[in-house]
Amino acid sequence: MVITGYRDGGVAFSRSQIRMTTSRDPVSAPIFYRDVPLMPSAGVNGVVSPLAPTAIHLISLAAARYYQAGEPYGAERYAHLRQLPLLLGRRKDVSAWDIDGPANDKGLYALVPVQKHMTIQGKDMVHWNPAGDIGKTRVGFMSQVSPDGRYVLSTFAGPSLKLLESYYVTNFMDYRFLQVFFPRAGVLAWYDRGTGVRTPLPGADDPKYVQTDGVWSPDGKYIVFARAEARDPRPPGQGKATHALDANETQIQYDLYRVPFTKAKAALRSRLPAPRTTG
């Protein structure tokens, strides 16, 4: 793939290229997903919603599917779930679920042992919102369970931000590219299932930045996350974006960083190098 930069007038002034290949190795991995209808609808004030208010009930009927990668197309199976939450992590013996509700509570998280029949109960729940500010702040975003199953890593915006100020989101009427969404503020923290204590992650806890989407190394010794300067999601005077890649979209650029997972001392953050290109 060749990427060329042009100045005004159509004059090329930079060029870079990258070669991508697809591995022939089989994936042989299970994929669990759900089918949710996309029916964008514009309200009376012009704000677009992914689903019309009259069709909200279809979410509860969304089909959960299970597909084994490598099998023929159409070989997916149905999973029978009630009150379908969002699966945000799984080890071979524990599954992690992000549960929005009740009352739009973005602070409920569940850890359930993997078995043929699973039921999420109160004893399985982690409450990211102990202060009770339900529906006001985004907490517990893109949580990930550690390889040993003891810790949970997540992004927290903090009580100083209202829910709609912690991320940028815009919906469009074109269902093929329905939404642009990204967090614009937040710090990483880890939760100890043994003690019930949540602790900011050293090296990823600066409120001047957004630190998000943390993932564990296979041995659990390091955490890689995305980091960018915190941005105003809707600066004064900015127009409304009406389609993907609209010039009125708030711009943000993340870099990847790595920190050692340590509870004893402050971690040293190291920036990962950008992908190498030639040309």
Side-chain angles (χ1 to χ4, degrees):
M1 179 176 65
V2 178
I3 301 175
T4 305
Y6 293 89
R7 296 185 186 277
D8 293 340
V11 179
F13 74 98
S14 65
R15 176 173 294 178
S16 183
Q17 65 182 18
I18 185 172
R19 183 170 180 261
M20 296 179 288
T21 60
T22 301
S23 173
R24 294 180 179 272
D25 297 330
V27 177
S28 299
I31 301 173
F32 181 73
Y33 65 100
R34 62 176 178 171
D35 283 344
V36 177
L38 296 178
M39 302 166 60
S41 172
V44 292
N45 56 356
V47 176
V48 178
S49 300
L51 200 60
T54 56
I56 293 296
H57 67 282
L58 295 177
I59 295 179
S60 62
L61 302 177
R65 301 179 187 266
Y66 173 90
Y67 173 71
Q68 185 72 27
E71 291 185 348
Y73 178 77
E76 65 271 15
R77 307 171 182 88
Y78 285 90
H80 299 285
L81 297 177
R82 296 180 180 178
Q83 300 298 323
L84 184 66
L86 177 61
L87 180 66
L88 282 181
R90 188 183 72 83
R91 291 170 12 93
K92 63 180 180 180
D93 57 352
V94 63
S95 60
W97 302 81
D98 188 15
I99 301 179
D100 286 357
N104 198 30
D105 186 356
K106 302 295 183 180
L108 292 179
Y109 192 68
L111 294 155
V112 188
V114 174
Q115 49 193 346
K116 184 175 181 179
H117 299 285
M118 295 187 297
T119 302
I120 299 177
Q121 304 180 47
K123 62 181 180 60
D124 304 313
M125 303 295 294
V126 176
H127 295 265
W128 295 140
N129 248 335
D133 46 356
I134 294 176
K136 298 180 181 179
T137 61
R138 172 164 289 281
V139 294
F141 178 67
M142 298 301 290
S143 306
Q144 291 288 324
V145 184
S146 64
D148 63 5
R150 174 165 180 174
Y151 307 107
V152 179
L153 180 71
S154 197
T155 302
F156 299 91
S160 62
L161 289 177
K162 296 180 180 179
L163 179 61
L164 294 180
E165 295 176 353
S166 61
Y167 59 89
Y168 173 86
V169 60
T170 299
N171 299 312
F172 310 120
M173 287 300 294
D174 187 346
Y175 70 91
R176 295 170 299 178
F177 201 130
L178 180 66
Q179 184 183 87
V180 171
F181 171 93
F182 58 81
R184 47 75 47 185
V187 301
L188 287 175
W190 55 275
Y191 171 81
D192 189 328
R193 296 178 61 194
T195 64
V197 176
R198 190 177 78 197
T199 306
L201 179 67
D205 58 349
D206 190 337
K208 293 185 297 184
Y209 297 87
V210 50
Q211 295 118 138
T212 184
D213 292 61
V215 295
W216 301 85
S217 61
D219 58 8
K221 294 182 178 180
Y222 290 91
I223 292 171
V224 174
F225 63 96
R227 176 179 182 264
E229 291 187 10
R231 305 294 299 272
D232 185 341
R234 302 190 184 279
Q238 177 175 287
K240 179 182 177 182
T242 59
H243 58 271
L245 302 180
D246 193 310
N248 287 319
E249 288 182 358
T250 298
Q251 302 297 304
I252 194 167
Q253 178 175 321
Y254 298 95
D255 291 307
L256 295 180
Y257 287 80
R258 184 179 74 169
V259 293
F261 178 60
T262 173
K263 305 183 291 294
K265 58 183 179 181
L268 297 177
R269 181 178 58 241
S270 60
R271 180 175 177 177
L272 297 182
R276 299 181 60 182
T277 60
T278 60

